[in-house]
């Protein structure tokens, strides 16, 4: 991964590769978009990248951290909208598929409740969980939630994820060096955040207050 991304960091193609990976991983969660963003940011922490050629060594500029963050965040929101629209138009076949999945059904119910209360923290948290972005985007579309309810939280989630991922790569590279160690520690931190987010979104929702009951007699 480091060698492949290193070959792209001196070229504008790095932004296209990052954008495509982030855009598509809502439908193909196996794509390592987070790892790719972190690796590019780790390379950027070095300030320059040196490429060895037959005639010697040439130094090329690394990606802009701001451009990398904007690219990842924008692609994240666009990918969410693609999944949302596909689910919206999915019809009965998608509804039956969701009904067969306890995870999708639960996410759809919790998302609907969160959005109806004017809150969408679940959308933001799910962006960090493995496949959580897919579950929430598809669930919102299948439930025919309004765009104005879903899109702002998708934007917040995309920006938060992009800033966190780029920040991990950059500061990991600054503190541990722009090599495999800095990248590995940053990727581990991303996975830990994802594991924590998965625990939060899988936790069953509890009533905020206990059901009303008659007061016990006596004492």
């Amino acid at each position: 991964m480091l060698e492949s991304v290193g070959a792209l960091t001196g070229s504008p193609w790095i932004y296209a590769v990052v954008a495509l990976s982030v855009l598509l991983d809502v439908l193909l969660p196996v794509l390592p978009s987070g790892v790719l963003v972190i690796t590019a940011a780790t390379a950027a922490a070095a300030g320059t990248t040196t490429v060895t050629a037959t005639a010697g060594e040439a130094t090329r500029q690394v990606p802009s951290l701001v451009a990398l963050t904007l690219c990842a965040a924008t692609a994240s929101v666009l990918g969410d909208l693609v999944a949302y629209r596909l689910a919206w138009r999915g019809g009965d076949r998608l509804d039956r598929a969701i009904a067969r999945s306890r995870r999708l059904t639960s996410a759809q119910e919790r998302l609907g409740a969160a959005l109806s209360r004017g809150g969408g923290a679940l959308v933001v948290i799910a962006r960090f969980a493995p496949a959580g972005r897919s579950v929430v985007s598809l669930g919102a579309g299948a439930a025919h939630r309004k765009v104005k309810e879903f899109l702002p939280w998708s934007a917040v989630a995309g920006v938060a994820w992009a800033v966190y991922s780029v920040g991990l790569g950059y500061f990991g590279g600054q503190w541990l060096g722009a090599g495999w160690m800095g990248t590995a520690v940053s990727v581990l931190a991303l996975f830990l955040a994802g594991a924590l987010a998965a625990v939060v979104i899988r936790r069953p929702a509890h009533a905020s207050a206990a059901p009303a009951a008659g007061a016990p007699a006596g004492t």
Side-chain angles (χ1 to χ4, degrees), residues 67-139:
L68 185 62
T69 302
L70 291 175
C71 181
T74 301
S76 178
V77 177
L78 290 177
D80 288 355
L81 283 177
V82 169
Y84 169 85
R85 285 299 184 186
L86 288 175
W88 182 287
R89 300 175 181 177
D92 295 337
R93 180 177 299 179
L94 181 61
D95 291 340
R96 289 194 297 269
I98 290 178
R100 290 194 296 267
S101 170
R102 292 180 58 188
R103 185 180 182 186
L104 282 172
T105 301
S106 175
Q108 188 181 78
E109 292 173 351
R110 295 191 63 193
L111 177 65
L115 293 178
S116 65
R117 293 194 302 268
L122 178 64
V123 178
V124 180
I125 295 172
R127 182 62 184 86
F128 292 83
R133 174 191 179 201
S134 305
V135 171
V136 168
S137 298
L138 292 171

Side-chain angles (χ1 to χ4, degrees), residues 5-209:
V5 176
L8 291 169
T9 52
S11 166
W13 282 107
I14 186 63
Y15 303 113
V17 172
V18 166
L20 187 62
S21 176
V22 175
L23 179 68
L24 293 179
D25 81 351
V26 68
L27 301 175
L28 299 170
V30 295
L31 291 177
S33 60
V35 177
L36 180 60
V37 172
I38 285 176
T39 307
T42 302
T48 58
T49 181
T50 302
V51 179
T52 303
T54 54
E57 292 185 342
T59 301
R60 302 184 303 181
Q61 293 300 310
V62 295
S64 162
L65 291 174
V66 174
L68 185 62
T69 302
L70 291 175
C71 181
T74 301
S76 178
V77 177
L78 290 177
D80 288 355
L81 283 177
V82 169
Y84 169 85
R85 285 299 184 186
L86 288 175
W88 182 287
R89 300 175 181 177
D92 295 337
R93 180 177 299 179
L94 181 61
D95 291 340
R96 289 194 297 269
I98 290 178
R100 290 194 296 267
S101 170
R102 292 180 58 188
R103 185 180 182 186
L104 282 172
T105 301
S106 175
Q108 188 181 78
E109 292 173 351
R110 295 191 63 193
L111 177 65
L115 293 178
S116 65
R117 293 194 302 268
L122 178 64
V123 178
V124 180
I125 295 172
R127 182 62 184 86
F128 292 83
R133 174 191 179 201
S134 305
V135 171
V136 168
S137 298
L138 292 171
H144 288 188
R145 306 303 309 181
K146 295 180 180 179
V147 174
K148 66 181 181 180
E149 293 179 338
F150 174 70
L151 183 58
W153 289 106
S154 171
V156 172
V159 171
W161 176 83
V163 170
Y164 180 73
S165 300
V166 170
L168 282 179
Y170 178 76
F171 288 111
Q174 286 286 309
W175 296 334
L176 300 173
W180 71 268
M181 178 62 75
T183 302
V185 172
S186 299
V187 169
L188 178 60
L190 182 67
F191 286 164
L192 289 176
L196 179 60
V199 170
V200 172
I201 64 175
R202 288 174 182 172
R203 187 170 52 191
H206 297 290
S208 57

